[in-house]
Amino acid sequence: MAAVNHEVEHLIEIRNIGKDYQSGDEMVPAIRQMDFAIDDGEFVTIMGHSGSGKSTLLSVLGGLNHPSRGKVFIDSLDLYDLSSEQRADFRSEYIGIIFQSFQLITYLTVLENVILPMAITGLKRKEKEQMAMDVLLKVGLASKADRLPDQLSGGEQERVAIARAIVNQPPILLADEPTGNLDSETASEVMELLTRLNREEGLTIIMVTHNPEISVYSNRTIRVQDGTCLEH
Amino acid sequence: MAYDIEKYRDKREKVLGMKRRGIGFGTFALLISAGILVGLSMVVIPKSVAYLRDRGLDDAIYRIGKNQSWPQHSIDRLRDQPGVEMVMMGNDDKRIVVTFNRTKIDTDRLSSFFYQEKLQTILLNQVNHRQRLHSMHEEKRFEAL
């Protein structure tokens, strides 16, 4: 149990992380130094301009990008002290991710897209379908379960992406510019859905955006600039 | 909300491998490999054993003279000869097939045994035991067509 730290006091703790990328002969810091904590059930916005390091931070939080230095603790687990196999299990158990571009599979129906993350859960087909229908009901798309993604509007596609991200019941949802491709009215609908999931389901949401109008839906904003946190 | 370390214990234990979720890939691969090995063994081992057992064996087919038949006591004594593994009567009571280990006995000594038994015999053929079994098998298969 070397990867468990019982001293941790928050669901997510970022301790002095840094991330450098090699660019030619020199190392370019994407994250210089960040240090903050997020509690269970919080809705946090990470705001910053392009290239400020916010997407890198999100990928580090998702267990997808090993930091060059520092520690990431999620539910007492030292994320980058886990083996790669354990980290894959960690992502499946703890993290749901939604992207700006939805990333739905166009030749699968809405229901099949939502079932996809449950492929390795060992559940029976009927159970998977039931769980997928339950989350589609939550996001208001149960009646469109048999449609293909192309037959849905942008807002509906984003809601399918949200359903897919939460179907495994992860405690943490990471959202990378979730409304970037949506008009303001649809963006508001999606943000209201995320707010409801946060409030009613206790889902911890960490959302990356550069749009200040979107950040008002969250409880707290972490501003990043040049790879550092300005306020949190 | 304050962080409660017990809340996601179940998930944490799954990640740390303290809770098993079905069968792992390693175990699955091991079971498939073991299945293939056992299957192959069931085919290969009996063939190998049969090969090791039969590799030194030859069959000699003898026919007895016109006015004689094979006396049972001579057949019994033939079976007791060192190197003789099996004696089978042919279909017409005139022929016998002697299966023998060629490293221990040969057809000259078999012929000399028959001479001592005062039996007029002629060696019709000497073939490898396995080859004869294969020919018989093929013949049966052909007759069944």
Side-chain angles (χ1 to χ4, degrees):
Chain A
M1 296 267 279
V4 178
N5 184 340
H6 293 279
E7 316 265 297
V8 166
E9 293 176 353
H10 306 274
L11 179 65
I12 299 168
E13 287 191 14
I14 303 289
R15 293 188 185 168
N16 295 313
I17 62 158
K19 177 71 188 177
D20 302 325
Y21 289 111
Q22 183 95 36
S23 174
D25 290 339
E26 58 178 330
M27 298 300 282
V28 178
I31 300 174
R32 289 178 196 278
Q33 197 259 329
M34 288 192 190
D35 194 39
F36 61 87
I38 296 173
D39 269 320
D40 194 12
E42 270 199 286
F43 188 164
V44 175
T45 300
I46 297 172
M47 273 195 69
H49 297 293
S50 294
S52 57
K54 56 187 192 302
S55 290
T56 303
L57 174 62
L58 206 66
S59 63
V60 169
L61 280 170
L64 299 163
N65 198 349
H66 205 299
S68 308
R69 54 200 166 271
K71 294 273 186 189
V72 178
F73 292 101
I74 298 183
D75 191 27
S76 308
L77 293 168
D78 185 344
L79 191 49
Y80 291 96
D81 202 29
L82 298 172
S83 67
S84 54
E85 197 181 20
Q86 285 175 322
R87 208 155 47 245
D89 283 345
F90 165 84
R91 285 194 291 272
S92 163
E93 289 294 325
Y94 281 87
I95 305 286
I97 303 182
I98 52 175
F99 305 94
Q100 183 176 354
S101 52
F102 318 134
Q103 310 275 16
L104 299 177
I105 296 175
T106 52
Y107 54 84
L108 296 180
T109 65
V110 165
L111 183 69
E112 288 164 344
N113 265 286
V114 177
I115 285 174
L116 217 54
M118 292 190 282
I120 57 163
T121 55
L123 292 170
K124 290 178 183 158
R125 175 90 193 165
K126 283 275 167 207
E127 290 173 306
K128 288 179 190 171
E129 282 180 1
Q130 187 56 55
M131 285 174 74
M133 282 308 290
D134 286 347
V135 287
L136 283 173
L137 203 63
K138 270 183 204 167
V139 300
L141 282 176
S143 61
K144 296 186 176 177
D146 295 331
R147 302 261 182 102
L148 290 170
D150 290 348
Q151 298 170 307
L152 304 178
S153 68
E156 287 171 331
Q157 288 187 37
E158 185 66 321
R159 281 192 278 155
V160 176
I162 293 170
R164 186 181 58 184
I166 62 171
V167 73
N168 274 341
Q169 298 171 327
I172 300 163
L173 180 68
L174 304 179
D176 193 357
E177 301 275 9
T179 58
N181 277 350
L182 305 176
D183 61 72
S184 57
E185 193 180 333
T186 314
S188 299
E189 284 172 20
V190 167
M191 288 315 300
E192 276 160 24
L193 171 62
L194 289 179
T195 310
R196 187 158 54 81
L197 289 171
N198 167 250
R199 213 172 34 235
E200 294 174 8
E201 310 277 329
L203 192 63
T204 303
I205 301 177
I206 302 165
M207 178 178 70
V208 158
T209 185
H210 62 269
N211 183 354
E213 287 174 25
I214 293 298
S215 69
V216 296
Y217 288 91
S218 64
N219 314 125
R220 185 157 63 104
T221 300
I222 296 172
R223 288 178 197 282
V224 295
Q225 188 178 316
D226 297 331
T228 54
C229 296
L230 292 181
E231 53 180 292
H232 52 84
Chain B
M1 192 191 299
Y3 169 55
D4 173 13
I5 194 168
E6 290 302 310
K7 188 172 173 185
Y8 305 115
R9 173 184 281 277
D10 202 44
K11 286 182 179 291
R12 195 166 51 243
E13 288 181 350
K14 276 184 192 169
V15 171
L16 294 171
M18 293 158 74
K19 279 203 170 171
R20 296 210 58 77
R21 284 176 298 177
I23 185 168
F25 176 75
T27 315
F28 177 72
L30 195 72
L31 285 173
I32 294 293
S33 310
I36 291 169
L37 281 174
V38 168
L40 280 175
S41 303
M42 285 169 71
V43 174
V44 171
I45 290 176
K47 282 193 173 177
S48 305
V49 169
Y51 170 77
L52 290 171
R53 193 186 55 217
D54 297 346
R55 64 180 171 165
L57 298 183
D58 270 359
D59 285 347
I61 302 166
Y62 283 92
R63 184 184 165 87
I64 198 159
K66 257 188 181 173
N67 301 321
Q68 285 184 304
S69 60
W70 291 101
Q72 189 57 45
H73 57 86
S74 296
I75 298 289
D76 291 342
R77 273 200 289 276
L78 177 61
R79 285 194 174 112
D80 292 338
Q81 294 299 305
V84 173
E85 300 286 331
M86 194 165 51
V87 180
M88 285 173 66
M89 294 300 296
N91 294 338
D92 59 356
D93 290 341
K94 285 286 182 187
R95 297 177 189 204
I96 58 167
V97 180
V98 184
T99 302
F100 63 97
N101 188 331
R102 62 177 171 267
T103 61
K104 293 180 182 170
I105 193 168
D106 57 17
T107 48
D108 287 345
R109 283 175 62 189
L110 287 172
S111 297
S112 130
F113 168 82
F114 293 134
Y115 180 74
Q116 283 169 13
E117 292 286 320
K118 298 188 174 32
L119 298 172
Q120 281 187 313
T121 59
I122 181 166
L123 176 63
L124 295 176
N125 201 2
Q126 179 182 353
V127 291
N128 180 278
H129 178 63
R130 230 172 318 123
Q131 192 182 332
R132 195 178 71 85
L133 291 180
H134 178 70
S135 303
M136 283 168 68
H137 175 74
E138 288 297 304
E139 199 176 334
K140 273 187 186 169
R141 207 163 64 92
F142 178 73
E143 281 171 2
L145 289 174

